[in-house]
Amino acid sequence: MVTEMLSLPCDRLLSHRQLACCHTYCGIPLEGKNMLIYSNMDKDNKPLLLTGHHGEISAMTFGKLSGPVLLCSASPDYIIVWDIELCHRRTQEGEVAAGTVIGTLLGEVVHLSFCFSDERVAACSGSTLYILSSKRHEVIFTFTNHMGPLTSAEFCPWNKNILVTTSEDRTFKVLDLKTEAVCYQSFVLSGSPLLSVFFLEENRHLITGSTDGQLWCFSVPGDHKCHLVTKMDLQKMEKRHLQHQGTVSDPAGFSEQLAEDKVDTSKPVLKMSTCSSLIDTNNEHKKDNSWLCIGSSDGLYVVELATSELLTAFYFKDYPILSISMAGSWSISPGWNDSMVFLVSSMFTPCVALLELRLCVLRSTLACGEGFSVFSSSPPVLESPLSAEFKRKEPEHPKKKGGVKEQPLVFHSKVKSSGYTSAPRSAMFSPKTNIQKNPSSKKSHKNTGLPLRDYPADSAAPTIPHTHLSIANKPIHCLQYSGDGKQILCGLGDSSVLLYKSSLTGNPTVYTGHDKPVGSVSWSLNRQWWLSASEDQSLRIWTHGSPEPAIIMGNSMFSKPVRSAQFYYLDKFLLLASGPSLYLYLYNVDITRDNIKRYQQRSVVKLAKCITSTSATDITALSAINDFFSYIVLACGSDRSIQVFDMNRGCVAAAIPDAHSRSIHCITQNKGSMFSTQAPDSYNLFLTSAVTDGVKMWDLRSLRCVRRYENHLNRCHPCSAAISPCGRFIASGSEDNCAYVYDIRSSSYLHKLQKHSDTVLSVAFNPATPQLLTGTMDGKLRLFQSSSAGPSVS
């Protein structure tokens, strides 16, 4: 997969020199003050010799444009810009190749960088940054605001006047070259110096890396006040990657493996670049832009930025045919024919190697097998638990013994007169003309229409505060809207359930009966009843207009609390988790009662299937789709795993071990709503939340994490997350008294909904209109609307 295109012995050690590499050429110093330029396309071609420096060359870089190809080189005496094609022609004509001196006596330059139009050059010398013209001898701007020596400087690709510098003082600064001012200065990021910085133009992020293998990804908004998106650690990512690959069976074994190989475990971030090619017309490979190539001392690391996970690593020790065993510096560039090229200098030997990585081979290696889909593609099998039904009892007729007994035709002591002896009627019929219409019947037909014809797919995120309501002094553990968006259920920490109108107007209906906090509520698809599950090891089903539950499942039916419960398979089943088991119940709700035996429950439940998780650990959260037929049930275990249950066959179909660093307390599928339509593949996405580990989005088709959201604060409380009905936004609770709204396509948050009175535990989107409801630990509800929202549903 990684091949060596060229091996170049050098006359001296170049371990910490900035070398130059682009898609067509690579350059290295020769005898300190000269340079050799090699062609990447024609390795047999004689290299171009460039002379002109009087001091030892310390940094080199190629321009960003494909033509003309410019090279900038720096030594303590000069900084020179060379036109490579022009130098080739002069050499072929027998003349001496010459460049343009743009700087003189600027000290030892450790880093050079062209802007994206190749008009300006940034040079880092000591703690001073010089901005030079690439066409003439001119210093445009000088900056000396860092407390330590500079290590790198890069121009912003979408704003030519913005530049970012990193320094050994462990900070980076965002500079506005137009106003010659500092737009943003970071806090001290690490105990080690920052070495490199890289811009991601697609989502407008910048990434900086340090000598101890730490990486920080920041968003760069219009005001250039950077916000931290995620933090990564190469060593920790490597450990998780090895565990997921099954190469390390236990942490102790991994520690022993690290103890055997103690060569540079810090993994310095020497150079970064996205995996891209100069010729790549296939839109399918646009996802490669989220793959980050990181050149370190022991090899090349490919990280998926959306998930902050290591995809693969290419270690020099695994390629004994390479000339490099430990790297001192990297230069990375996109190559032709769907490849990446790297110019790497050896740390301990005077050698430089040109390496090539074939991206097509990398994609095929990382390609995952066929996963699952929430949509059922075939009818249930004969023995499927989903085919279970209540057995119908045939009416029992008493057997007749002997002949027919004589019985009286009339059982009453008095018989009503036939009327033959009464006087004849004078008026046979008179119509009633003063009948008043029942207003309730007219009203019942008036509101049968849907509150919104379609959910506005292009509406803005709901961020405008609309209603603030204090309902209790207890935590609001769960919220759920009814399918039509007209009502909302609130499960509270005082063991009660409140039923509100979605507008939060009027007094709520209170349902009591649980003995401990209510941790789960769920509406049925027909909205005729709903359920509540509690820590008191019971589940109750409620109906409209009745303060008493129609079904009570308790009385030692479950040995542990019911963590999650919901209606399933178009309301055919009750699905719940208790302990390590997943229960599937048939049920029949009968709200009629005998006045004499008033407390006798006529509703019935029947166990259809009980499935135990493969790890036999307690299930902490579950999710399934009830709006259409789906065989897939997702469950999370206390062992940090995600298990995929196939209810058609009644077994565990797949498992994702170590999905989070802590136990998952919330799992949410992209269920959409009856008012919105999404692409079919979007319904295969689901979210998981864990304390200290943020929110992850997974794809059921590949069983891989596809994005990570970490801007919110979640250190100890089970804050939930939700997906909007349009599938464009994600909301999450947070412990900094805020709710965060993310764009599902980006890891950085869109909005931070502030001014909550306590930790935001629960969030829920209205399925009919762009509204977001949040519930806090101190019993407060806040309703947010979109700026483009229509009338609220009541």
Side-chain angles (χ1 to χ4, degrees):
M1 192 179 301
V2 176
T3 58
E4 186 173 273
M5 301 172 59
L6 194 63
S7 179
L8 306 173
C10 304
D11 56 353
R12 63 193 64 200
L13 198 63
L14 301 176
S15 58
H16 298 294
R17 302 290 183 183
Q18 182 189 11
L19 305 182
C21 179
C22 67
H23 61 283
T24 52
Y25 299 101
C26 63
I28 62 171
L30 175 67
E31 298 177 354
K33 58 183 180 179
N34 301 327
M35 291 176 291
L36 286 178
I37 309 302
Y38 290 85
S39 172
N40 298 341
M41 313 299 295
D42 188 2
K43 307 176 184 62
D44 298 329
N45 195 9
K46 185 179 180 180
L48 173 66
L49 177 63
L50 300 178
T51 60
H53 287 281
H54 300 294
E56 187 171 352
I57 297 174
S58 57
M60 301 167 57
T61 187
F62 281 103
K64 300 292 194 304
L65 299 179
S66 57
V69 179
L70 300 181
L71 172 69
C72 183
S73 57
S75 64
D77 52 352
Y78 298 130
I79 296 180
I80 305 176
V81 172
W82 312 78
D83 187 333
I84 300 300
E85 302 297 336
L86 180 60
C87 292
H88 265 296
R89 289 197 299 269
R90 287 186 176 180
T91 302
Q92 292 174 357
E93 294 172 359
E95 299 180 4
V96 177
T100 303
V101 177
I102 62 173
T104 307
L105 300 177
L106 298 182
E108 184 177 357
V109 177
V110 297
H111 184 87
L112 291 171
S113 177
F114 275 96
C115 70
F116 282 81
S117 62
D118 287 352
E119 296 177 352
R120 292 176 291 184
V121 176
C124 300
S125 177
S127 59
T128 304
L129 171 70
Y130 298 96
I131 304 299
L132 311 171
S133 172
S134 63
K135 299 179 180 179
R136 56 186 176 274
H137 192 290
E138 179 186 1
V139 178
I140 301 175
F141 174 64
T142 303
F143 175 76
T144 56
N145 203 14
H146 275 286
M147 302 296 293
L150 297 175
T151 54
S152 67
E154 294 293 338
F155 287 91
C156 178
W158 61 86
N159 190 337
K160 63 179 182 179
N161 293 317
I162 297 299
L163 180 138
V164 174
T165 59
T166 62
S167 170
E168 292 184 8
D169 63 7
R170 300 159 294 167
T171 67
F172 71 87
K173 297 181 188 294
V174 181
L175 309 179
D176 189 338
L177 302 181
K178 188 175 183 179
T179 61
E180 299 185 359
V182 178
C183 300
Y184 177 80
Q185 176 177 342
S186 74
F187 50 90
V188 176
L189 297 179
S190 172
S192 302
L194 302 183
L195 284 183
S196 55
V197 66
F198 181 74
F199 279 100
L200 296 170
E201 185 175 8
E202 183 179 5
N203 47 17
R204 300 203 169 185
H205 288 175
L206 70 86
I207 304 175
T208 182
S210 64
T211 57
D212 59 350
Q214 306 287 326
L215 296 103
W216 296 263
C217 180
F218 289 85
S219 63
V220 186
D223 58 359
H224 305 113
K225 305 298 182 184
C226 300
H227 302 288
L228 180 64
V229 176
T230 185
K231 179 185 176 183
M232 296 167 280
D233 188 324
L234 273 182
Q235 189 167 343
K236 291 182 179 179
M237 288 190 292
E238 181 187 42
K239 179 179 179 180
R240 289 197 302 267
H241 176 70
L242 293 176
Q243 289 176 339
H244 291 168
Q245 292 295 323
T247 57
V248 177
S249 58
D250 60 328
F254 182 76
S255 300
E256 294 177 0
Q257 180 178 343
L258 289 180
E260 294 177 359
D261 187 8
K262 294 185 178 180
V263 179
D264 198 5
T265 58
S266 61
K267 303 184 185 301
V269 182
L270 302 176
K271 193 69 175 179
M272 294 178 287
S273 177
T274 56
C275 285
S276 59
S277 176
L278 292 175
I279 299 180
D280 190 3
T281 57
N282 193 348
N283 292 331
E284 182 184 353
H285 296 156
K286 285 187 177 180
K287 63 180 182 180
D288 294 352
N289 293 331
S290 66
W291 294 356
L292 184 70
C293 287
I294 301 174
S296 187
S297 57
D298 59 346
L300 179 70
Y301 296 83
V302 182
V303 174
E304 187 168 14
L305 290 173
T307 61
S308 301
E309 294 294 337
L310 180 65
L311 293 176
T312 187
F314 304 99
Y315 302 104
F316 294 127
K317 63 181 181 179
D318 296 333
Y319 295 85
I321 61 174
L322 298 181
S323 305
I324 306 295
S325 58
M326 292 292 289
S329 65
W330 287 75
S331 181
I332 305 176
S333 173
W336 297 98
N337 300 325
D338 199 19
S339 66
M340 297 282 294
V341 290
F342 313 94
L343 187 63
V344 187
S345 67
S346 177
M347 180 177 289
F348 302 118
T349 58
C351 177
V352 174
L354 183 65
L355 309 179
E356 182 183 32
L357 172 64
R358 306 292 296 182
L359 296 180
C360 58
V361 180
L362 177 61
R363 294 189 199 100
S364 62
T365 303
L366 298 177
C368 298
E370 190 68 23
F372 300 90
S373 174
V374 295
F375 297 101
S376 55
S377 58
S378 60
V381 296
L382 294 178
E383 65 276 8
S384 173
L386 301 179
S387 302
E389 299 286 349
F390 280 115
K391 291 183 179 180
R392 296 183 179 179
K393 295 182 178 180
E394 298 294 334
E396 297 180 358
H397 299 285
K399 295 181 179 180
K400 297 180 180 180
K401 297 180 180 180
V404 180
K405 293 183 179 181
E406 294 182 358
Q407 296 179 352
L409 298 176
V410 178
F411 297 95
H412 303 286
S413 58
K414 295 183 179 181
V415 180
K416 187 178 181 180
S417 173
S418 62
Y420 287 109
T421 59
S422 60
R425 294 182 180 180
S426 58
M428 297 300 293
F429 174 73
S430 59
K432 296 181 179 181
T433 58
N434 59 347
I435 298 177
Q436 295 182 355
K437 294 183 178 180
N438 188 0
S440 61
S441 62
K442 182 178 180 180
K443 186 176 180 181
S444 62
H445 292 283
K446 184 177 180 181
N447 292 330
T448 55
L450 299 178
L452 280 180
R453 186 169 302 224
D454 286 313
Y455 190 96
D458 57 348
S459 66
T463 57
I464 301 176
H466 182 265
T467 305
H468 181 210
L469 187 64
S470 178
I471 62 175
N473 196 21
K474 296 292 183 179
I476 302 175
H477 289 298
C478 49
L479 298 170
Q480 191 182 47
Y481 278 95
S482 58
D484 57 2
K486 292 184 177 181
Q487 294 173 302
I488 184 74
L489 285 173
C490 307
L492 305 183
D494 62 355
S495 70
S496 64
V497 179
L498 302 186
L499 176 61
Y500 275 97
K501 293 181 180 179
S502 61
S503 59
L504 300 182
T505 58
N507 294 324
T509 306
V510 183
Y511 296 89
T512 59
H514 288 290
D515 297 328
K516 291 185 179 181
V518 177
S520 178
V521 291
S522 175
W523 282 94
S524 65
L525 187 62
N526 57 18
R527 303 183 297 280
Q528 294 180 1
W529 44 75
W530 57 92
L531 63 80
S532 60
S534 171
E535 294 286 332
D536 62 1
Q537 303 177 16
S538 71
L539 181 145
R540 297 167 186 252
I541 297 181
W542 312 81
T543 59
H544 284 282
S546 175
E548 299 175 357
I551 297 178
I552 300 178
M553 299 176 65
N555 298 326
S556 302
M557 290 182 64
F558 312 109
S559 59
K560 292 188 177 183
V562 180
R563 295 298 181 187
S564 297
Q566 67 169 83
F567 293 93
Y568 175 58
Y569 212 66
L570 298 183
D571 288 349
K572 181 180 180 180
F573 296 99
L574 296 176
L575 182 68
L576 58 98
S578 177
S581 301
L582 189 69
Y583 295 91
L584 193 67
Y585 279 93
L586 287 167
Y587 68 100
N588 181 37
V589 177
D590 187 355
I591 59 175
T592 60
R593 294 184 183 273
D594 190 342
N595 289 331
I596 297 177
K597 300 179 180 180
R598 187 170 179 271
Y599 294 100
Q600 182 176 354
Q601 181 176 291
R602 292 193 174 186
S603 301
V604 293
V605 293
K606 176 187 175 183
L607 181 64
K609 187 68 175 180
C610 177
I611 310 173
T612 303
S613 61
T614 55
S615 57
T617 56
D618 288 355
I619 296 176
T620 56
L622 71 84
S623 177
I625 291 181
N626 187 37
D627 294 11
F628 52 83
F629 290 119
S630 176
Y631 302 151
I632 298 298
V633 174
L634 303 174
C636 305
S638 57
D639 60 346
R640 311 188 306 275
S641 67
I642 301 174
Q643 298 189 30
V644 181
F645 288 82
D646 183 359
M647 302 306 294
N648 184 26
R649 302 186 180 277
C651 63
V652 178
I656 307 174
D658 297 322
H660 281 269
S661 61
R662 300 288 182 91
S663 297
I664 299 170
H665 60 258
C666 172
I667 182 168
T668 304
Q669 289 179 269
N670 184 18
K671 301 178 181 179
S673 76
M674 67 174 70
F675 303 94
S676 65
T677 302
Q678 301 182 34
D681 289 340
S682 300
Y683 294 95
N684 291 310
L685 301 177
F686 63 96
L687 301 176
T688 56
S689 302
V691 172
T692 71
D693 206 22
V695 175
K696 288 185 178 182
M697 183 169 65
W698 304 80
D699 193 335
L700 192 60
R701 295 165 295 177
S702 60
L703 294 180
R704 287 184 58 242
C705 177
V706 294
R707 191 163 292 279
R708 195 168 184 169
Y709 310 90
E710 296 181 288
N711 287 156
H712 59 283
L713 184 64
N714 190 6
R715 294 177 177 173
C716 58
H717 298 295
C719 301
S720 68
I723 304 177
S724 64
C726 61
R728 297 166 51 226
F729 305 111
I730 291 174
S732 175
S734 179
E735 296 175 15
D736 56 356
N737 300 353
C738 299
Y740 286 76
V741 178
Y742 295 90
D743 187 332
I744 199 170
R745 301 163 298 178
S746 175
S747 298
S748 57
Y749 70 89
L750 281 177
H751 303 282
K752 185 177 180 180
L753 309 182
Q754 303 179 358
K755 297 183 179 179
H756 287 83
S757 55
D758 206 338
T759 296
V760 179
L761 288 179
S762 305
V763 291
F765 282 99
N766 191 318
T769 185
Q771 292 181 343
L772 174 65
L773 186 65
T774 61
T776 63
M777 182 170 286
D778 60 350
K780 304 291 193 307
L781 289 175
R782 288 178 67 89
L783 183 64
F784 296 87
Q785 288 188 342
S786 170
S787 57
S788 56
S792 60
V793 181
S794 59

